[in-house]
Amino acid sequence: MAEIKTKRVYEQEYESDGFRVLVDKLWPRGIKKENLHYDLWAKDITPSTELRQWYHKDMKNRWKEFKQRYTEELEESSAVRTFVDAIKKEKVVTLLYAAKDVKQNHAIILQQYLEKIVK
């Protein structure tokens, strides 16, 4: 089973990051594509545009419901199974995200979800 970590795209890259996956639907602000090392851009397993926009209107008060709704999207997504197949042979997978909040963001939810299903 892969160890799944999260990391902001703005943090320094290390070899210990292993297989690096960008898990944002939009390209991170302020980063040139040639300056970000990633192995896969997994747009299909990010929150839907509608959910992301809804959450960003009141992030402080919508976290709990956002977490529930995003988890439901993941459970219904065929892209998740494809993603799991792509990472299951990796020893370490680092989910890269641009959100400022390191404790409440979609990558944390995705990490928790994947840890339950990756075997």
Side-chain angles (χ1 to χ4, degrees):
M1 179 173 125
E3 175 188 0
I4 301 171
K5 305 189 291 186
T6 60
K7 184 178 201 175
R8 290 192 75 222
V9 295
Y10 306 103
E11 294 178 45
Q12 183 170 338
E13 171 189 349
Y14 293 103
E15 191 172 320
S16 61
D17 292 344
F19 191 76
R20 293 167 51 94
V21 182
L22 179 59
V23 293
D24 281 339
K25 193 170 294 281
L26 305 174
W27 188 259
R29 289 183 183 166
I31 295 183
K32 293 181 181 180
K33 288 190 179 182
E34 61 269 14
N35 292 340
L36 179 62
H37 171 256
Y38 62 97
D39 299 296
L40 177 66
W41 187 359
K43 294 180 196 180
D44 294 342
I45 61 171
T46 63
S48 66
T49 300
E50 298 79 14
L51 180 58
R52 180 177 47 81
Q53 290 174 345
W54 171 84
Y55 175 57
H56 283 203
K57 288 180 182 175
D58 188 5
M59 293 167 53
K60 183 178 179 182
N61 295 310
R62 292 182 174 176
W63 170 249
K64 188 174 179 180
E65 187 175 349
F66 172 74
K67 186 174 182 176
Q68 177 185 350
R69 289 172 61 179
Y70 180 41
T71 300
E72 289 170 3
E73 285 187 356
L74 292 169
E75 289 171 348
E76 296 170 5
S77 171
S78 61
V80 171
R81 181 52 47 202
T82 302
F83 179 74
V84 169
D85 288 343
I87 67 164
K88 66 182 173 186
K89 293 184 180 174
E90 301 295 335
K91 290 183 180 179
V92 178
V93 175
T94 299
L95 307 176
L96 303 171
Y97 65 93
K100 292 178 185 176
D101 190 331
V102 298
K103 294 183 179 177
Q104 291 186 340
N105 63 69
H106 73 283
I108 300 294
I109 299 167
L110 179 59
Q111 175 191 27
Q112 293 169 350
Y113 182 79
L114 291 172
E115 287 175 342
K116 290 178 184 175
I117 66 168
V118 173
K119 293 174 172 89

